[in-house]
Amino acid sequence: VQFLTDSSSFEGDEAKFSIALRPLTQVSSDWNLVVGIFEDDIIEGQKDGSDIIFPFSHQHIFRGYVNGSIGQTVISSNLNFAPGEAVYYNFSTILGAEWVPDNCYLFAFIQDTETQEIYAAAKSPLL
């Protein structure tokens, strides 16, 4: 499977984006697409025993899922794709007031619904 963030835009605190995916082989079970957001460079205190280190730059902070923790089924064994064909999925999510969009990135992965095996993963800047 290949996938990428195709486009993104903002309207107020709402982020809208598309993900294109293309299976590279025939599949024999259902696969889910799970999408979420992480944020880097969050400056806060960090506890170190009884001390607090400040400032501390936190990385890869999970901000939430866009389409739920199990995602949505996007590929099944009965789907047939022409060579080079891709499927586009559109998403929107509300960003938290304290989030810095320039520091956020999307993550996405494809997971077999039967075995829970992850077949492919990617990340892309939100902006």
Side-chain angles (χ1 to χ4, degrees):
V1 173
Q2 289 181 328
F3 55 101
L4 56 99
T5 303
D6 186 57
S7 63
S8 62
S9 64
F10 286 91
E11 293 178 15
D13 59 354
E14 182 181 20
K16 296 180 179 184
F17 56 92
S18 298
I19 293 179
L21 65 97
R22 178 172 65 103
L24 301 176
T25 62
Q26 185 64 29
V27 300
S28 60
S29 61
D30 290 348
W31 291 3
N32 280 1
L33 171 65
V34 180
V35 180
I37 298 177
F38 280 100
E39 185 174 354
D40 284 343
D41 300 323
I42 297 174
I43 307 301
E44 285 291 336
Q46 172 68 40
K47 241 182 155 177
D48 183 13
S50 61
D51 295 331
I52 294 181
I53 303 167
F54 191 87
F56 187 88
S57 179
H58 297 270
Q59 305 298 314
H60 315 295
I61 303 302
F62 177 69
R63 289 303 199 176
Y65 290 108
V66 173
N67 65 342
S69 61
I70 60 170
Q72 65 196 74
T73 301
V74 293
I75 297 176
S76 63
S77 59
N78 62 351
L79 290 178
N80 292 312
F81 289 84
E85 181 182 14
V87 179
Y88 289 83
Y89 294 92
N90 297 312
F91 297 96
S92 67
T93 190
I94 302 299
L95 302 181
E98 70 282 359
W99 300 7
V100 178
D102 286 337
N103 295 345
C104 291
Y105 61 93
L106 300 167
F107 70 88
F109 60 87
I110 296 291
Q111 183 176 37
D112 186 306
T113 60
E114 290 178 22
T115 65
Q116 305 303 307
E117 183 177 356
I118 295 174
Y119 290 116
K123 70 177 189 174
S124 176
L126 184 57
L127 292 179

